[in-house]
Each structure stands twice: as structure tokens, then as C-alpha cells.
Amino acid sequence: MKEEEIEVAIKVVVVGNGAVGKSSMIQRYCKGIFTKDYKKTIGVDFLERQIEVNGEDVRLMLWDTAGQEEFDAITRAYYRGAQACVVAFSTVDRDSFDAVTNWLQKVENEVGQIPSVLVQNKMDLTAESTVTQEETEELATKLNTRLYKTSVKENTNVNEVFRYLAELYLSQM
Ligand code: GDP
């Protein structure tokens, strides 16, 4: 293969409770759009985006569990072969914060430890937040992950999440 054709492709799974904004994040990142309701129309397993990291072409394939979070058999098929993970919760959904460790565990049960990042989404609703800054930082420390605070709605920090994850992946290759 010629050198310019070499590319790194990373399967990224985006996990977390329903309604935290996983699909929105993938759509935002790969298509540049934000809508309230498109879920029924996706019909694909993943979306992708290519970025350059340290002069290297990296293709991120972002897998979405498409609202099937409660069906373990289905989501486990999504995890297979995952090389990096975004675990997301919503700042206005306490249960989704409490579920983070479980989600990471599920992924690790399937594919072992992979580069991961913790995402606190819906930061545009921070006035209604149900988790304290101390708690989220504690969790990130416990999980040994970096924490990104995003608003997919306002397009804050979304690119940064995936760039960081790609860099982390490359640094551990
Ligand atoms: P998923 O079930 O985790 O994939 O969540 P969705 O992407 O379907 O998002 C659930 C709802 O939250 C949708 O109505 C989104 O429009 C909304 N949402 C997603 N991200 C944000 C955000 O950053 N801020 C606000 N206010 N709403 C968001």
C-alpha cells in the first residue's frame, strides 16, 4: 500500500442511558446538524467522519445504539470490535450519571479496556443540573478518564471530545 493511502480507522461506541444525547452528538459531529427528533429515520449502524491527527488521516466510525439501550443482546453486538468509547450522561438526568460506571463495565466486559472519555452533555441546561462539579470530577478521577462538558445543542466541545479520543487511541497504538 502506498503511504498516502494508509489510514487509521477507529470504531467508537457511544454509550450511556437513553436520551442523554448520544445520537444527537453523532449527528452533530458527522453531519453538522442538531434536530429534536430524527431517530426513526437513521436506519444505519454508524456514521463516520475523517479528521487529521498529527498529520495522520483518521477515520472515526461512530456507532449508535439507536435507542436500544435496554436490550443487552443488541447493544453487545454493537460493542464487538470497539476500539474507543464515549460514555455520556446528561447533566439534568441524575440516573444517567449514576449509570456511567455500569456502561463502561458493559463495554469492558465485551472488549476489555479501551481508550475512553467521559462526557457530561446538555451543559446549556446547567441551571437545572442534578450533579455537582465535585461529583463529576470525582467520577472522572475514579474511572481514570478525561471529562468533557458538552452542549450538543449549542455545539460546545463536541469536536474536542472526538479529537481527544482519536489522539488517545493513536498514543496507545
Ligand atoms: P440518546 O437517546 O442518548 O441518543 O439521546 P438523543 O440524541 O435522542 O437526545 C435526546 C433528546 O435530548 C433530544 O430531544 C435531543 O434534541 C436532546 N438533546 C441532545 N443534546 C442536547 C443538548 O446538549 N442540550 C439540550 N438542551 N438538549 C439536547
Side-chain angles (χ1 to χ4, degrees):
M1 199 195 264
K2 276 195 230 120
E3 197 168 7
E4 59 266 29
E5 287 166 2
I6 296 174
E7 70 163 33
V8 181
I10 311 172
K11 174 174 177 174
V12 180
V13 288
V14 182
V15 303
N17 278 12
V20 301
K22 302 182 298 296
S23 300
S24 302
M25 182 171 299
I26 293 168
Q27 296 276 322
R28 167 68 89 191
Y29 187 66
C30 296
K31 293 186 170 173
I33 56 168
F34 178 79
T35 55
K36 278 220 148 62
D37 195 35
Y38 57 82
K39 203 154 251 181
K40 283 125 219 126
T41 67
I42 341 176
V44 295
D45 293 331
F46 66 89
L47 290 177
E48 58 179 51
R49 178 166 166 182
Q50 200 152 325
I51 58 171
E52 204 185 293
V53 182
N54 307 327
E56 190 138 25
D57 282 333
V58 177
R59 182 160 29 128
L60 293 164
M61 296 173 292
L62 307 185
W63 289 66
D64 185 356
T65 48
Q68 310 273 317
E69 292 86 353
E70 66 273 35
F71 302 114
D72 273 356
I74 295 171
T75 49
R76 286 185 61 198
Y78 277 93
Y79 299 159
R80 214 158 289 145
Q83 294 157 302
C85 172
V86 174
V87 55
F89 67 97
S90 158
T91 201
V92 292
D93 178 352
R94 179 75 209 188
D95 286 348
S96 73
F97 173 76
D98 292 333
V100 160
T101 304
N102 252 324
W103 282 110
L104 261 189
Q105 195 59 56
K106 280 193 202 191
V107 173
E108 286 183 3
N109 287 345
E110 202 60 31
V111 295
Q113 273 208 359
I114 51 177
S116 301
V117 60
L118 180 63
V119 169
Q120 179 176 15
N121 188 39
K122 306 199 184 184
M123 288 304 287
D124 55 289
L125 303 175
T126 193
E128 301 155 47
S129 187
T130 55
V131 287
T132 66
Q133 182 161 333
E134 202 176 34
E135 285 175 309
T136 50
E137 280 166 10
E138 235 169 61
L139 181 61
T141 304
K142 183 185 123 201
L143 299 174
N144 195 25
T145 57
R146 193 180 280 195
L147 168 71
Y148 278 90
K149 300 177 182 207
T150 63
S151 167
V152 174
K153 186 177 182 183
E154 295 180 344
N155 202 13
T156 310
N157 253 349
V158 176
N159 290 347
E160 286 80 354
V161 166
F162 294 105
R163 172 160 293 277
Y164 166 70
L165 199 54
E167 286 170 358
L168 186 61
Y169 177 83
L170 289 178
S171 75
Q172 297 184 5
M173 256 171 82

